Amino acid sequence: MSDTKLSIQSSVFWNTAGSVFYLGCQWLLTVLVVKLSGVDAAGFLTLSMSVCNIWYCIAVYGMRNFQVSDTKDEFTNGSYIYSRLLTCGAAFAGCLIYTLLMPYGILQKLCILLYFLYKTSEALYDVYAGIFQKQWRLDYAGKSMLLRGILSLGSFCLLLKWTDNICLAVGGMALLCLISVLLYDISAARKLTDIRLDTRFPEVKALLIKCLPLMIYTLFSSSIASIPRLFMERLLPDGNYWLGIYGTVATPTLIIQMGATYVFNPFVTLFAERYHEKDRKGFLSAFLKCFLSVIVIAVAGILGGKLLGVWGLNLLYGQEVAAHSYLLIPLILCTVLTAFAWFLCGVLTAIREFRGLIIGNLAAVIVSCILSPILEYTLGLQSAAYGMQGASLALGLATLIEIIVLFFFMLRNIRRQFS
C-alpha cells in the first residue's frame, strides 16, 4: 500500500479530465443512438435513464460527499464498500418491482432493468472513487472514467449497429463496465489502503442511519428532473416519441451541469476541513472559487446554445430533432439552475446540514409534482411543443425554489459557525 498523495491541482486535473471524457462519451451515446436506430430508440433510452436515475439514488445512498468529508475516519473503507453492496442490491430489487408493476411494454421493461445494471457499475465505482479522493489520488478516478468511457461508448455503438437492438446494446455496455470496476478500481484502491469488507452489523447500520438523510435528499434531488419526463411519457399522445425528442435535445445541456459538478466535487473535502477548523477565510475563498467556476461554465453554455444550438442539433441529430431547437435555451437555463443547486447541496453535505438538504429538495419535488401535470397537460392540449416546454418550466421553477431554500440554510450555518 502507498499513501503518496497528489497535489490538489493534480487531483482536480485528473478528475476533471476523466470526468469530461466520460461525460463526453455519455453524450455521444445519446447522439449516436438517434443516428444508429432513430428517435424511438432514443425514447427507450431516455425512459430508462429517467426511471433508473431515481433508483440509482438509493444505490449510491448519497454517501459520496459524506465519505470524502469523513476526515476523522469515523467509518472504515470496508464499511463504505459493504454498505454499497447492500444498497445496490436493495435498489435493484426496488427497480425490478417498480418496472414490473408499471404499464410499460416488454422491451421498455427489459431496457430499464439492463440500464440499471449499468448504473450499478457507476454506483460501485463511486465508492472506490471516494477512497481515491480521500487519499488525494484522483488520478486513479480519472483513469477509471477514461477506461469506462471507452468501454461504454464502444460496446454500445458496436452492438447497436450490429444488432439494431437497444436492449442488447445496453446489456453489453453494463457487463463491460461492471468488469472494469472489478478489475481496475478494486485493484487500484487496494494499492492505496485497506479495503477489506467490514461486515460488522453495528458499524454498517450506524453508517446507513447517518447517511439516510443524504439518501432521501439525493432521491428527491434526482426526482426533480425525472418527474416532468415521466409525466410527459404518460400524458402526451405518442409520449415515448416526444420523450425521445425532449431527452435528445436535453442531452447536450448536461455538459454544463456535469462540467460544473466535476469542478466543485473535489472541493467537498476542503469545505469540510475549513468549516470544522473554523477557517472562515479559507471556507469563503473556496466557496467563491467554486461559485465563479460554475458561473463561467454557465455563461459559456448559454452563449454556446444561443449561437450554435440550431446548427449543432442539426449536425448531431438531423432535421427531425433540430426542428425542436426551441427547447434548447429553456433546457440550458434549467441545467444552469440545477448546477447551482448541486453545488449548494455539496456544501451543505460538507457542513452536515442534512435537514436543509431534505427540506430544500422535498420542496422542489412537491413543486415539480404539482406543476408538471398541470403545465404539461394544459399546454399539451395546444400542441406537443407546448407540452414539452411545460416540462422545462416546471423543472426550472422547482429548482429555483430548491436553490432559495438551500442558500438560506447555508447562510444560517455559516453565521453560527464563524460568528
Side-chain angles (χ1 to χ4, degrees):
M1 291 186 292
S2 170
D3 59 355
T4 303
K5 296 182 180 180
L6 295 183
S7 66
I8 293 178
Q9 291 80 5
S10 295
S11 278
V12 170
F13 168 78
W14 271 108
N15 187 68
T16 302
S19 301
V20 169
F21 180 80
Y22 184 72
L23 175 62
C25 289
Q26 298 303 294
W27 171 70
L28 276 174
L29 187 148
T30 60
V31 172
L32 294 174
V33 69
V34 178
K35 290 186 173 294
L36 293 172
S37 199
V39 172
D40 284 325
F44 276 82
L45 188 60
T46 301
L47 176 63
S48 299
M49 289 177 173
S50 299
V51 172
C52 292
N53 283 343
I54 295 175
W55 293 102
Y56 175 74
C57 294
I58 296 177
V60 293
Y61 212 74
M63 200 175 286
R64 173 68 178 275
N65 285 337
F66 183 93
Q67 179 185 5
V68 299
S69 57
D70 184 8
T71 55
K72 296 181 180 179
D73 294 325
E74 183 179 358
F75 297 98
T76 65
N77 291 322
S79 294
Y80 285 110
I81 296 170
Y82 183 62
S83 67
R84 183 58 48 89
L85 295 176
L86 295 178
T87 56
C88 283
F92 181 76
C95 184
L96 175 63
I97 294 170
Y98 170 86
T99 303
L100 292 177
L101 291 177
M102 288 297 291
Y104 298 130
I106 297 297
L107 289 179
Q108 285 178 314
K109 291 181 178 182
L110 182 59
C111 191
I112 289 170
L113 294 176
L114 289 171
Y115 190 80
F116 188 77
L117 289 179
Y118 167 69
K119 296 299 288 184
T120 298
S121 75
E122 287 194 347
L124 294 175
Y125 155 78
D126 179 76
V127 73
Y128 290 104
I131 294 173
F132 301 149
Q133 184 170 340
K134 282 193 71 177
Q135 298 291 327
W136 286 111
R137 290 303 306 267
L138 282 170
D139 53 321
Y140 285 122
K143 292 171 184 175
S144 176
M145 283 185 282
L146 289 171
L147 175 60
R148 289 185 302 109
I150 294 171
L151 291 175
S152 60
L153 180 62
S155 61
F156 181 87
C157 292
L158 288 175
L159 287 169
L160 190 60
K161 182 176 178 60
W162 290 341
T163 67
D164 195 30
N165 187 307
I166 185 70
C167 294
L168 285 177
V170 171
M173 176 178 69
L175 178 62
L176 286 180
C177 287
L178 282 168
I179 293 173
S180 172
V181 173
L182 294 174
L183 296 182
Y184 179 82
D185 296 289
I186 294 177
S187 176
R190 189 175 287 120
K191 295 177 183 178
L192 296 175
T193 186
D194 183 8
I195 60 168
R196 288 174 297 178
L197 288 182
D198 186 346
T199 59
R200 291 176 295 166
F201 179 73
E203 181 89 359
V204 174
K205 178 183 176 182
L207 175 59
L208 291 175
I209 290 175
K210 279 212 167 188
C211 291
L212 180 62
L214 292 173
M215 186 278 288
I216 295 172
Y217 123 70
T218 52
L219 182 62
F220 287 157
S221 180
S222 177
S223 300
I224 296 167
S226 295
I227 287 168
R229 298 188 182 203
L230 295 176
F231 273 113
M232 184 188 304
E233 195 272 336
R234 293 284 94 189
L235 293 178
L236 295 185
D238 200 10
N240 188 72
Y241 176 82
W242 295 116
L243 181 59
I245 292 290
Y246 187 85
T248 302
V249 176
T251 298
T253 70
L254 296 179
I255 295 175
I256 303 169
Q257 181 178 316
M258 301 308 296
T261 302
Y262 294 141
V263 168
F264 64 70
N265 263 355
F267 284 85
V268 172
T269 303
L270 194 63
F271 282 129
E273 291 174 351
R274 298 294 182 267
Y275 183 81
H276 294 297
E277 292 169 359
K278 297 195 174 182
D279 181 359
R280 181 177 182 274
K281 183 178 179 181
F283 181 91
L284 294 179
S285 174
F287 181 87
L288 182 60
K289 288 177 182 177
C290 290
F291 181 80
L292 292 176
S293 297
V294 176
I295 288 286
V296 170
I297 293 172
V299 170
I302 293 172
L303 290 176
K306 190 70 175 177
L307 297 175
L308 304 173
V310 177
W311 172 82
L313 290 176
N314 193 59
L315 176 67
L316 293 170
Y317 305 112
Q319 184 57 39
E320 183 179 10
V321 174
H324 303 279
S325 59
Y326 54 84
L327 295 170
L328 187 59
I329 297 302
L331 280 167
I332 289 176
L333 293 174
C334 287
T335 56
V336 168
L337 290 173
T338 301
F340 279 111
W342 284 11
F343 170 49
L344 292 174
C345 286
V347 175
L348 262 63
T349 301
I351 65 178
R352 299 294 190 259
E353 177 47 73
F354 297 153
R355 184 175 63 169
L357 282 173
I358 293 177
I359 293 174
N361 284 274
L362 176 59
V365 166
I366 293 173
V367 172
S368 186
C369 284
I370 293 173
L371 293 183
S372 292
I374 293 174
L375 293 174
E376 291 178 43
Y377 178 74
T378 303
L379 297 177
L381 291 175
Q382 303 176 54
S383 70
Y386 285 115
M388 289 188 287
Q389 292 288 38
S392 297
L393 182 57
L395 174 59
L397 291 173
T399 309
L400 186 60
I401 295 297
E402 177 188 8
I403 289 172
I404 292 171
V405 176
L406 294 174
F407 194 72
F408 165 78
F409 278 97
M410 187 194 72
L411 284 181
R412 191 179 69 166
N413 276 271
I414 288 176
R415 287 173 180 170
R416 288 178 179 175
Q417 183 73 356
F418 301 129
S419 61

